[in-house]
């Protein structure tokens, strides 16, 4: 009888000890899981996520003819820094276009005799970003995928504003009694019209639109390959 009680007590203690061991083991395993999760979430993920997004941006940029180089993780900006890598000479990269019609009135008065020439034509303005190797554009890919890409040294500009071939028409041409319209007047009117059309394109915010399009492209390409999402216009070929 005594032997049975001793045996039962020993078995009970052994079972209790086993349970205590596995309880401790479970706590240790859970602690390790929490630690590993914290290391990944707070240390590894903030470093690897922007690197992956930066690689997508680099790949997408190559597809549109723009070369980007990674400068690695920037602790100052909490993200990966990229710079636009171009040749030694400055260049322009087209990111937007704006087509419009413009009407211009040319007038000249001499001895109370006024001549008038009214012209109308279609124009195609191209806007883009200016790339200067001395002040390279720096792109910061944030650690948080929800945050927008930031760009430093980004300068939008009006690259060209050309009259559409065959679109020029004369709306009105009226000579004065002794102040006649000439070929020189026509040339002056066209040159002045080109200048005013460029001013019109700038007033419509083509420079800001060029910057916004470039930033939109970067934000889209960091989450996907951005194929077909933004198609930048081709620059007008000069004769």
């Amino acid at each position: 009888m005594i032997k049975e009680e001793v045996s039962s007590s020993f078995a009970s203690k052994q079972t209790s000890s086993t349970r205590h061991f596995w309880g401790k083991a479970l706590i240790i395993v859970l602690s390790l899981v929490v630690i590993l999760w914290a290391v990944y979430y707070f240390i590894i993920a903030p470093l690897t996520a922007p690197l992956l997004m930066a690689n997508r941006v680099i790949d997408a940029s190559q597809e549109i003819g723009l070369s980007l180089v990674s400068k690695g993780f920037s602790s100052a900006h909490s993200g990966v820094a990229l710079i636009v890598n171009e040749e030694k000479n400055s260049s322009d990269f087209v990111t937007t276009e704006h087509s419009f019609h413009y009407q211009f009135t040319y007038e000249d008065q001499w001895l109370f005799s006024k001549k008038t020439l009214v012209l109308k034509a279609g124009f195609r303005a191209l806007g883009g970003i200016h790339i200067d190797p001395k002040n390279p554009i720096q792109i910061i890919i944030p650690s948080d995928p929800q945050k927008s890409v930031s760009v430093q040294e980004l300068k939008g500009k009006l690259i060209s504003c050309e009259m559409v071939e065959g679109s020029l028409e004369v709306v009105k041409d009226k000579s004065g009694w002794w102040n006649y319209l000439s070929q020189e007047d026509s040339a002056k009117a066209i040159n002045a019209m080109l200048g005013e059309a460029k001013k019109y394109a700038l007033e419509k915010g083509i420079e800001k639109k060029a910057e916004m399009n470039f930033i939109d492209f970067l934000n889209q390409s960091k989450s996907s390959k951005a194929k077909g999402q933004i198609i930048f216009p081709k620059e007008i070929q000069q004769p």
Side-chain angles (χ1 to χ4, degrees):
M1 187 72 177
I2 295 174
K3 288 183 178 180
E4 289 180 0
E5 288 180 358
V6 170
S7 177
S8 176
S9 176
F10 177 77
S12 177
K13 288 181 179 180
Q14 190 175 27
T15 302
S16 176
S17 177
T18 302
R19 288 176 180 175
H20 185 66
F21 169 79
W22 285 112
K24 282 185 175 181
L26 182 60
I27 291 172
I28 293 172
V29 170
L30 289 175
S31 298
L32 288 174
V33 169
V34 171
I35 292 171
L36 291 173
W37 176 85
V39 169
Y40 174 80
Y41 187 82
F42 292 105
I43 299 176
I44 298 176
L47 292 174
T48 57
L51 287 172
L52 291 173
M53 291 187 287
N55 287 333
R56 294 193 191 108
V57 172
I58 291 173
D59 291 342
S61 298
Q62 287 178 343
E63 293 176 6
I64 61 173
L66 196 62
S67 176
L68 299 183
V69 175
S70 175
K71 303 298 288 184
F73 191 85
S74 172
S75 56
H77 299 92
S78 299
V80 174
L82 307 176
I83 62 167
V84 177
N85 181 38
E86 291 298 326
E87 300 298 328
K88 294 182 179 180
N89 298 326
S90 298
S91 60
D92 298 316
F93 186 76
V94 179
T95 60
T96 188
E97 68 174 309
H98 178 47
S99 297
F100 59 94
H101 283 86
Y102 192 78
Q103 184 168 300
F104 178 77
T105 300
Y106 170 83
E107 291 181 334
D108 180 73
Q109 185 168 312
W110 180 66
L111 294 177
F112 303 102
S113 179
K114 185 170 71 174
K115 54 186 174 183
T116 303
L117 179 61
V118 180
L119 302 175
K120 185 178 181 181
F123 287 86
R124 183 182 183 226
L126 294 178
I129 56 172
H130 182 63
I131 300 171
D132 184 358
K134 295 181 180 178
N135 297 293
I137 296 173
Q138 183 170 274
I139 302 162
I140 305 299
I141 310 297
S143 300
D144 186 352
Q146 302 302 319
K147 290 184 178 180
S148 176
V149 170
S150 61
V151 186
Q152 300 174 358
E153 302 297 335
L154 182 64
K155 298 176 182 177
K157 66 175 290 187
L158 173 64
I159 294 175
S160 66
C161 183
E162 305 290 338
M163 186 185 296
V164 177
E165 187 177 355
S167 68
L168 180 63
E169 59 179 291
V170 178
V171 178
K172 179 182 179 181
D173 57 339
K174 184 180 180 181
S175 295
W177 286 100
W178 49 79
N179 190 14
Y180 300 102
L181 286 168
S182 64
Q183 290 295 328
E184 184 180 356
D185 291 317
S186 297
K188 287 181 179 179
I190 291 173
N191 286 334
M193 185 183 191
L194 289 171
E196 292 299 314
K198 289 180 180 179
K199 289 181 183 178
Y200 177 82
L202 289 170
E203 290 172 358
K204 289 296 180 181
I206 194 168
E207 292 176 320
K208 188 65 178 177
K209 178 65 175 175
E211 294 178 4
M212 290 174 61
N213 269 14
F214 184 66
I215 294 174
D216 285 345
F217 164 75
L218 295 174
N219 280 319
Q220 291 184 27
S221 60
K222 74 183 176 71
S223 58
S224 67
K225 295 251 177 163
K227 275 189 175 180
Q229 292 182 10
I230 294 182
I231 301 175
F232 294 128
K234 294 181 179 179
E235 194 165 357
I236 295 175
Q237 298 296 320
Q238 300 295 333

